[in-house]
Amino acid sequence: MNDLAISEAVERIASPSWPAFEAQLSSSGGCARPVRLVGKVDVVDSSSGELRTRFSTEGEPDGVLLKACGSRRTTRCRPCSQLYKGDARVLVAAGMAGGRGTDESVTDRPTVFVTLTAPSFGAVHRQADNGPCHPGPQGRCRHGRQLACWERHTGADDVVGKPLCPECYDYEAAVIWNARVTELWRRTMIATARAMARQSAMTVRTFAASYRISFVKVVEYQRRGSIHVHAVLRIDARDGGEVDLDAARLADAVHLAAGRVQAPSPLRDGQPIRWGSQLDVGVVSGAERRRVANYLAKYSTKSADDAGALDHRITEADIPGLGLPDHLEALVRTAWRLGGSDALAHLRLRAWAHCLGFRGHWMTKSRAYSTTFGLLRSARHEFRKAEALRIAGEEIAVDEIEVGSWRFAGVGHATEGDALLARWHAELRARHRQLARKEEGPWAA
Ligand SMILES: [Zn+2]
Ligand SMILES: [Zn+2]
Ligand SMILES: [Zn+2]
């Protein structure tokens, strides 16, 4: 915080346009990097053809409207990422406990929580809760590095997730695995339905005619830079009725499917992509539903590195300046290099080098699982609009059509003083939300 920013902020607060500016901070949620727009919204009365302007930035502070950036990444924008995280929690929770347009009967359906990991691409230092890192073979690899590590690393230790020998580590396979994990997941869902049918003594066709496996899945990066998948799977009856299948049986089916499933590698014939042996499947009981929703939402705000150097697309020239740890840099460079190969062009590894090859979405769900971010956001938008109109004392007529025309005027706050006010506003909001959550109980967003 510098003196200039403070005097700019004071000037803003003292100006006659402050209430209007504060209203914009509020509608953009205190976004740290808002998009500045110039334009207006006209309303056409579809029966009379009358056109009038409902809103124009002409009368707004600096003649612009601040629109929230909507980023999910904390390193890009904290207030927007918190909002995103709240939406993620609602979306996951609704699929397990109902609400926001999802039927409450989901509570009674068989539900499991699954964690799937990547296989080993070479020994990495690991956090040792009850033993040394790699007690193991004496001797050295062909690059002359020790094969064992007897340290007991804590989570705070920078070495965790880094290879014992970077030259032995299979960076290519690690990047290709990230690039193919979405396909592996798709196949796992199909295999789970098959295993479920077999266990229930049904044909695949009969099972599919009666049931559907709905899911929400989120990905995160392990310290070694490999994708890690967490998912909630739920069995629905297609007719909307009760499901007479056991959650334990679903857990078995996932186990079976994940153990067997594989996807072809575009890099190496005969070395298909598979899940690692670390597989965790548990039945989700009623009491655990909230914990699981919070747990999944926690991953929403992260990027491939903690510091945020990889929270946006990069070019090869950017890589040295990112200040990445060696291991992450090697993964980024490998993705870039493989991205130059014609045979791998379809993986678009250069465009996704900042995600270490992974080009999926951090959260995906099957259609029937619960609500969507879009619906949650438009509900919020409609609410704000209604609120704004109520203040203006205007009602919305059903046969009116809104027509907006906007021009992009820039990104970020116009002055450091405005940025400071936005931070202050966001801080207040976060505290209000915390208080509200305590009052509303465990399911509040
Ligand atoms: Zn933002
Ligand atoms: Zn170690
Ligand atoms: Zn080696």
Side-chain angles (χ1 to χ4, degrees):
M1 212 185 288
N2 59 44
D3 288 351
L4 177 64
I6 292 170
S7 66
E8 282 169 347
V10 169
E11 203 178 307
R12 176 67 87 186
I13 294 172
S15 84
S17 67
W18 167 244
F21 188 79
E22 198 186 16
Q24 287 212 16
L25 288 183
S26 177
S27 65
S28 62
C31 173
R33 304 157 37 88
V35 179
R36 298 198 302 275
L37 297 170
V38 175
K40 58 177 182 166
V41 178
D42 291 329
V43 211
V44 188
D45 186 321
S46 62
S47 46
S48 68
E50 183 202 356
L51 178 87
R52 65 201 156 80
T53 299
R54 169 165 284 160
F55 173 85
S56 163
T57 53
E58 257 171 45
E60 292 296 305
D62 306 335
V64 296
L65 176 73
L66 302 179
K67 189 178 181 320
C69 73
S71 177
R72 72 172 178 86
R73 293 185 167 106
T74 313
T75 49
R76 301 279 279 183
C77 178
R78 179 171 286 276
C80 288
S81 76
Q82 290 306 308
L83 202 63
Y84 193 100
K85 189 173 173 178
D87 284 354
R89 185 167 38 225
V90 169
L91 197 151
V92 175
M96 289 189 288
R100 312 281 171 131
T102 307
D103 198 86
E104 304 243 322
S105 68
V106 291
T107 319
D108 303 323
R109 300 183 204 161
T111 305
V112 298
F113 181 57
V114 186
T115 300
L116 296 156
T117 55
S120 171
F121 304 109
V124 295
H125 294 281
R126 53 191 174 203
Q127 194 179 326
D129 298 321
N130 24 352
C133 168
H134 274 282
Q138 292 297 319
R140 293 166 185 275
C141 73
R142 61 199 175 90
H143 310 101
R145 294 192 179 87
Q146 294 278 4
L147 293 172
C149 172
W150 292 89
E151 303 276 324
R152 288 164 190 263
H153 309 295
T154 65
D157 199 336
D158 276 347
V159 84
V160 171
K162 292 180 180 159
L164 270 67
C165 173
E167 284 171 277
C168 284
Y169 199 78
D170 193 347
Y171 282 99
E172 290 191 346
V175 166
I176 294 295
W177 197 89
N178 282 349
R180 292 287 282 164
V181 64
T182 307
E183 173 61 15
L184 190 59
W185 170 260
R186 192 184 69 79
R187 290 169 182 239
T188 307
M189 284 298 90
I190 295 170
T192 300
R194 287 207 179 120
M196 200 62 211
R198 242 191 328 272
Q199 291 191 33
S200 317
M202 284 182 226
T203 64
V204 173
R205 189 176 291 205
T206 323
F207 179 82
S210 312
Y211 303 103
R212 176 180 54 217
I213 300 179
S214 293
F215 70 84
V216 61
K217 100 175 193 299
V218 310
V219 304
E220 62 151 334
Y221 290 88
Q222 288 178 302
R223 295 278 284 266
R224 60 178 166 145
S226 287
I227 292 284
H228 198 84
V229 177
H230 301 284
V232 172
L233 272 66
R234 182 188 77 208
I235 302 187
D236 302 332
R238 289 207 184 261
D239 63 6
E242 248 176 70
V243 179
D244 49 355
L245 297 170
D246 194 359
R249 198 171 267 181
L250 175 59
D252 289 344
V254 175
H255 246 292
L256 246 146
R260 282 183 196 165
V261 77
Q262 53 184 51
S265 164
L267 184 69
R268 295 171 194 160
D269 284 343
Q271 284 185 38
I273 313 284
R274 306 180 60 103
W275 298 111
S277 54
Q278 230 189 320
L279 165 68
D280 196 48
V281 189
V283 171
V284 183
S285 69
E288 285 166 336
R289 286 167 193 244
R290 181 191 167 212
R291 189 182 58 80
V292 168
N294 285 340
Y295 184 73
L296 290 186
K298 191 179 75 180
Y299 297 115
S300 67
T301 57
K302 295 188 177 170
S303 40
D305 66 316
D306 291 337
L310 293 174
D311 65 5
H312 57 284
R313 286 206 172 159
I314 51 168
T315 65
E316 190 174 21
D318 296 332
I319 300 175
L322 295 173
L324 294 172
D326 292 348
H327 180 61
L328 273 185
E329 182 166 330
L331 284 164
V332 172
R333 284 192 184 282
T334 306
W336 192 269
R337 184 169 51 76
L338 292 176
S341 145
D342 286 344
L344 300 173
H346 61 291
L347 298 177
R348 304 189 58 228
L349 291 172
R350 288 193 168 170
W352 297 100
H354 65 296
C355 294
L356 315 180
F358 175 69
R359 71 181 192 292
H361 294 279
W362 86 273
M363 180 190 252
T364 53
K365 63 177 203 67
S366 58
R367 195 166 300 141
Y369 179 78
S370 71
T371 181
T372 64
F373 277 101
L375 281 176
L376 290 173
R377 294 208 161 170
S378 69
R380 191 179 304 125
H381 174 76
E382 290 304 319
F383 173 76
R384 286 215 183 113
K385 201 165 76 179
E387 201 178 34
L389 289 174
R390 194 176 61 232
I391 294 164
E394 192 177 352
E395 281 176 38
I396 307 173
V398 286
D399 47 4
E400 281 181 346
I401 302 162
E402 274 190 353
V403 187
S405 53
W406 298 101
R407 185 171 60 75
F408 173 70
V411 173
H413 286 284
T415 66
E416 284 201 37
D418 286 354
L420 178 64
L421 289 168
R423 276 208 297 282
W424 169 66
H425 181 89
E427 184 64 31
L428 276 177
R429 276 173 90 94
R431 280 192 206 159
H432 281 152
R433 256 205 313 273
Q434 251 172 13
L435 284 173
R437 204 174 300 157
K438 273 188 194 142
E439 280 168 17
E440 284 173 34
W443 288 104

